[in-house]
Amino acid sequence: MNRSAGRRLTAAALTVVAVTTGATACSSGAGGGSSKAADSGTYTIWDPYPQFDKGSAWAKLLDECGTKAGVKVKRTAFDTSDLTNKALLAAQQDNSADVLIVDNPVVSTLAEAGVLTTTEDNKLDTSAVDPNLLAAGQAGGKTYGTPIGANTLALYYNKAVLKKAGVDIASVKDWKTLTAALEKVDKAGEKGITFSATGTEEGSFQFLPWLWGSGAQLTELDSTEAVSALSLWNDWLKKGYAPNSVINNTQTTSWQEFASGDYAFAENGTWQLANAEKAGFDYGVIPVPGAKGGNAAAPTGGEFVTIPVQGETDRYATSQKLVSCLTSGQNLLDTDTTLSYVAPTGEVQDKQVAADAKLKPWVDAVKAAKGRTSDDLGTKYPKISEQMWKAVQSALSGSKSPKDALTAAQSAVK
């Protein structure tokens, strides 16, 4: 998301810790106020958007949806990682919020802990949602909520730098042609590509398009395809096409490098669009290319709107009305515009592109995107991710070859 992508992304790495601490801690209250209001006509909504105050369009939308459903909405906002712990503690006390909006990798954690109802239970209609985005909230053949929107990664490019190097962006279609473009840029005395390979979830998030673009799977980090992806990054560093700073770069510092105007390419997210407009140079965006062409699957960021398990099951019908109000029609368009998200439905995506043609490559990237916990990985993902970012760090720092680094990573996961 545009406000704090890095902090938001680290929630995936914290999910295992959240399950552990949430399952063992005792508390007199979950914080942020009791979700079981004395007035049964009051419904609680917890969200991870503390940047939006009571006077914001988001807060007003929540109130409007409550009015439409005939109830009063009591909203509490938390930081992403804090929200996960609060949700687990509240569930232990049968004190869950009526509606819970959480970072998509957290859904599987809460589902496994028995915190969330399924769409079969709560009758939430998700038929209009793109299947690849909905998959981030699915586990064991069941669906737990609906996405409010998605962000993902793509390649920003500096038109002036590419023009000076004689690179036609239309020629960049796969890894071979991207590397050829970087070689031309380097020979022209310009800088190539910057990205984040830091030793956190951000590093994994940025490596995933290349891993998936190679044809590799998260369950086989030591595959030939996975090694080819890490070797690509490693070769770029060795040849000077990417700076050594990527080893420590967050997505924010990587963006700052690109915003200097010196680099041809930067891997970054939808949340940088506003900053791109302020950068002072002409830029473009293309989806991350796959090894042999086409668009690589990039990981999805963004939140799911879920309905937690309640002791009073008759509350689900109203909760479902609230969720439907927040995630459909004009409300969905307005919310995703505010959050700098791509909508999760084709109908609203078309409206976004009609309003702003610059969103077209982002819609294409989101259509090819994939949830980090998809493929039924669920709560296995954080452990895999940690070993993956460690492997990236080992290879790029020169302490291990890409093959040895990923072999060690796969062994650690097992």
Side-chain angles (χ1 to χ4, degrees):
M1 184 182 166
N2 57 341
R3 73 179 180 92
S4 56
R7 180 171 54 182
R8 181 67 54 85
L9 295 173
T10 57
L14 291 169
T15 53
V16 169
V17 177
V19 171
T20 304
T21 57
T24 57
C26 293
S27 173
S28 59
S34 172
S35 66
K36 287 292 182 293
D39 178 3
S40 61
T42 298
Y43 279 65
T44 53
I45 297 179
W46 290 2
D47 69 50
Y49 310 133
Q51 75 273 29
F52 297 131
D53 61 22
K54 291 180 180 180
S56 66
W58 168 249
K60 290 176 181 177
L61 174 59
L62 296 180
D63 289 337
E64 289 169 8
C65 285
T67 300
K68 189 175 180 181
V71 297
K72 181 181 178 182
V73 165
K74 181 181 179 183
R75 176 226 179 190
T76 307
F78 299 91
D79 182 67
T80 296
S81 56
D82 193 33
L83 179 56
T84 306
N85 287 310
K86 292 293 194 294
L88 288 160
L89 288 168
Q92 285 183 324
Q93 301 156 2
D94 189 22
N95 196 32
S96 293
D98 291 291
V99 175
L100 183 63
I101 304 172
V102 292
D103 197 19
N104 74 67
V106 175
V107 175
S108 57
T109 296
L110 297 179
E112 187 174 287
V115 175
L116 305 178
T117 61
T118 68
T119 52
E120 185 178 351
D121 295 330
N122 58 45
K123 310 304 179 188
L124 190 63
D125 182 9
T126 59
S127 59
V129 178
D130 288 353
N132 67 313
L133 300 181
L134 192 62
Q138 294 175 323
K142 297 183 182 298
T143 302
Y144 298 88
T146 188
I148 199 167
N151 57 32
T152 194
L153 296 167
L155 294 181
Y156 287 86
Y157 62 89
N158 185 319
K159 294 182 180 181
V161 173
L162 292 186
K163 183 177 181 180
K164 182 179 178 181
V167 174
D168 179 0
I169 193 62
S171 70
V172 179
K173 297 179 179 179
D174 52 27
W175 291 2
K176 183 178 180 180
T177 51
L178 175 57
T179 300
L182 292 174
E183 183 179 4
K184 283 187 176 182
V185 168
D186 184 61
K187 286 182 177 178
E190 301 294 324
K191 296 179 180 179
I193 186 169
T194 182
F195 47 87
S196 169
T198 187
T200 68
E201 175 61 21
E202 285 187 78
S204 290
F205 191 74
Q206 291 239 321
F207 183 60
L208 275 172
W210 310 96
L211 180 89
W212 285 332
S214 73
Q217 301 295 322
L218 281 166
T219 50
E220 294 183 55
L221 293 178
D222 57 350
S223 68
T224 301
E225 293 82 3
V227 172
S228 73
L230 187 47
S231 295
L232 180 74
W233 273 17
N234 202 47
D235 289 346
W236 286 349
L237 258 70
K238 284 183 176 179
K239 293 177 180 177
Y241 300 165
N244 288 327
S245 59
V246 300
I247 297 173
N248 298 312
N249 270 349
T250 63
Q251 293 180 110
T252 298
T253 55
S254 171
W255 177 261
Q256 289 168 349
E257 288 179 336
F258 180 68
S260 70
D262 297 331
Y263 284 84
F265 294 95
E267 180 185 0
N268 227 296
T270 328
W271 53 88
Q272 298 291 6
L273 276 171
N275 289 329
E277 293 294 329
K278 300 173 185 175
F281 55 82
D282 285 340
Y283 74 94
V285 179
I286 59 170
V288 175
K292 298 179 181 179
N295 298 342
T300 55
E303 291 77 42
F304 262 63
V305 189
T306 66
I307 299 176
V309 172
Q310 301 286 348
E312 300 172 22
T313 57
D314 58 350
R315 297 180 71 86
Y316 296 153
T318 298
S319 295
Q320 187 265 354
K321 289 180 182 178
L322 291 172
V323 175
S324 296
C325 177
L326 292 172
T327 59
S328 60
Q330 187 63 39
N331 288 346
L332 184 62
L333 177 59
D334 292 344
T335 295
D336 287 335
T337 299
T338 298
L339 298 174
S340 292
Y341 281 172
V342 171
T345 67
E347 179 186 359
V348 180
Q349 288 168 1
D350 290 344
K351 291 180 180 178
Q352 289 182 301
V353 173
D356 184 358
K358 289 183 179 179
L359 289 176
K360 179 65 167 63
W362 290 107
V363 169
D364 291 342
V366 163
K367 284 185 178 298
K370 186 175 181 178
R372 284 162 279 172
T373 58
S374 296
D375 299 328
D376 255 348
L377 284 179
T379 53
K380 297 176 185 175
Y381 172 75
K383 184 176 182 180
I384 295 171
S385 175
E386 182 179 2
Q387 296 307 320
M388 184 164 62
W389 82 56
K390 286 181 176 179
V392 170
Q393 288 269 298
S394 294
L396 299 191
S397 66
S399 64
K400 290 181 181 177
S401 69
K403 183 178 180 180
D404 288 346
L406 288 168
T407 297
Q410 184 64 23
S411 296
V413 170
K414 287 183 178 179

